[in-house]
Structure formats: structure tokens, C-alpha cells
Amino acid sequence: MILVGDDPGSAIYVRNKKKATVECGMKSFGYELPADVPEAELLGLIDALNADPNVHGILCQLPLPKHLDEFKVTCRIDPAKDVDGLHPMNVGLLSMGREGPVSCTPAGVMVMLHRAGIEVAGKECVVIGRSNIVGKPVAQLLLKENGTVTVCHSRTKDLKAVVRRADVVVVAIGRAKMVTGDWIKPGAVVVDVGINRNAEGKVVGDVDFDSVAEVAGAVTPVPNGVGPMTIAMLLRNTLDAFKRAEKARAAAR
Ligand code: GUN
């Protein structure tokens, strides 16, 4: 796990990921680099981890400080060790409906839907947000399961009307409590991916839980909704990467 700089949010995420990794019996190697680390040094560390047979998963916490090129860094991680599913190779596999590591939060959203017995096939699915880490991959996963998927963003006209058509809504916009009960079709399923801090410093989602809960068939809370799933999927991706590496090693013998 690589953490660059001292963003307090990122430090908490990385600490929680490390804790979960160790709790489930995996080894965790943490690398904390200063905010002004030269790009070549970060890339050199990634090269060393790519080459280390004891390492099966590499995660570089985002966002990175401005002087570092996130795309370049993400591309440098061996796709086979890319437990974040953010390497273009793995993003490409996902868009082709192929197996491979999938970005952790979107993967967690799908597991939640499955465990709650919610089918997306044939349903109107609306994703709010088009980030590479959540919006786009979750749209691909919903499409893979035969949902009819609309991706909305800051330029979408009459966002509320689009959301009101949805049977399944995934909200990943990063604006505290933006989606309220009057946006939701009665009985719809609402998944809140938002993590925002309100004026009192409390963590709140992108969804106004109380008003949405009155009309929705199901809605996830924040905190303790999607968040823990992200970490669980990181562990799953790491275990899968280990299994694939072992299989490849056995085949090469
Ligand atoms: N920043 C916010 N979410 C994530 C994530 O899932 N992985 C990484 N690497 N950085 C993030």
C-alpha cells in the first residue's frame, strides 16, 4: 500500500485497509512517501513491487499530489497486481465484459445488490457521477448484468426527472445530501456512494437518507453502507490476484 503526502482522509482510508488486510491473514507492506516525492522515485518503488514475488497486490491511494501524473502511476502497476482495477488493461477487460480485477467500490455495490436479492436485468439503472473510479465502472457492471443504464453528470439536463425514472439509483457525485426523497420513484433501490463531511464534521452521504427512506424500497446508509464493501472487495481482489499468480506459477513449472 502506497500513500503519498499527508491528506488526512487518505491516511484514514489506508489505515483501515491495512487493518483489514492483516485481520484476514494477509501481509501488508506500507510505503509512506512525502508529498514532494519525485515521480521517478514513486515509479521506481512500483517497479520494485511489480518485481517482488512476495507481493500480489499493489495499491497507490488516490488522489496524488498535483505534480504526480495519476494516469502514468496507474499504468505503471503490473495489471496482474492491480487490486484497484484502475489499470487501463483491467478497465478495458471490464468494458468488454471479461474477468479481471474491478474497482473496489463498484464491485462492492454489486455484491450488496446481489446479497439483497436485487436483480438489475431489464431495470432502469441511473448512475449519478462519471468518475473512472466509481461512476463509469459501476455503469459497466450494471450493463453486464443487463440493466438499462443511464450515466448522469454535472451537465445532465433535468437530473431530477432522469433519476425519477430509475428502478436502481447509484449516487457518486460527492455533494452532501443532494438527492432527496422527491427525486426517487416509489420503491426504487438507492445506493449511496458519497462520503462528505458536513459543517459539524460528521460524515454524510450524497443522499438525504431520511427523506429517501420514506419512498425508496431500499437505501444504503452512510457511514457503514458501501464503505466497508470497498475494503472487502480490495481483499477479494488481492486473494484473486494471489490465486491467479499461483496458478501461473504452477503452470510454468
Ligand atoms: N481513493 C478513493 N478511493 C480509492 C480507491 O478505491 N483506491 C485508491 N487507490 N484510491 C482511492
Side-chain angles (χ1 to χ4, degrees):
M1 243 169 285
I2 306 171
L3 174 64
V4 184
D6 35 38
D7 177 72
S10 289
I12 294 170
Y13 292 140
V14 167
R15 194 172 67 218
N16 290 340
K17 287 173 183 177
K18 254 185 217 163
K19 191 164 157 260
T21 308
V22 173
E23 269 171 15
C24 79
M26 294 180 191
K27 272 201 186 119
S28 171
F29 310 100
Y31 296 87
E32 290 180 17
L33 305 178
D36 61 353
V37 67
E39 189 170 81
E41 194 176 320
L42 174 58
L43 296 175
L45 171 60
I46 292 171
D47 290 345
L49 296 172
N50 282 341
D52 186 342
N54 291 313
V55 173
H56 297 93
I58 303 170
L59 178 151
C60 181
Q61 187 68 22
L62 304 176
L64 290 172
K66 291 265 179 302
H67 71 287
L68 299 168
D69 181 344
E70 280 185 4
F71 183 67
K72 196 166 164 186
V73 170
T74 304
C75 289
R76 193 70 160 238
I77 294 172
D78 178 348
K81 298 189 179 187
D82 169 36
V83 287
D84 256 332
L86 298 177
H87 189 286
M89 170 81 182
N90 293 323
V91 173
L93 289 173
L94 173 64
S95 79
M96 297 175 85
R98 297 271 180 167
E99 289 296 305
V102 173
S103 181
C104 301
T105 302
V109 169
M110 298 312 290
V111 169
M112 277 183 121
L113 293 175
H114 297 155
R115 295 287 178 97
I118 294 156
E119 270 248 14
V120 302
K123 303 255 180 80
E124 285 270 1
C125 304
V126 168
V127 177
I128 317 181
R130 56 174 155 182
S131 67
N132 289 327
I133 205 158
V134 181
K136 284 183 214 163
V138 88
Q140 292 286 3
L141 290 167
L142 292 165
L143 184 60
K144 193 175 173 187
E145 297 195 5
N146 304 308
T148 301
V149 184
T150 304
V151 181
C152 300
H153 45 78
S154 54
R155 300 283 287 273
T156 298
K157 287 204 178 99
D158 203 354
L159 177 61
K160 183 170 153 183
V162 179
V163 174
R164 266 198 75 90
R165 293 204 306 256
D167 303 304
V168 177
V169 188
V170 179
V171 193
I173 24 174
R175 296 214 6 219
K177 298 192 177 190
M178 185 166 138
V179 174
T180 47
D182 55 325
W183 291 39
I184 302 300
K185 179 162 92 178
V189 172
V190 182
V191 181
D192 189 353
V193 179
I195 302 178
N196 312 284
R197 270 186 202 279
N198 69 8
E200 293 103 63
K202 242 182 74 181
V203 172
V204 296
D206 292 346
V207 170
D208 179 40
F209 185 89
D210 292 340
S211 68
V212 167
E214 282 178 21
V215 280
V219 52
T220 67
V222 175
N224 297 319
V226 172
M229 296 304 297
T230 298
I231 297 185
M233 294 303 104
L234 174 67
L235 301 174
R236 189 178 77 174
N237 280 347
T238 308
L239 182 62
D240 288 346
F242 167 77
K243 286 182 184 165
R244 279 194 294 262
E246 283 300 297
K247 213 167 150 188
R249 213 163 60 101
R253 264 206 295 265

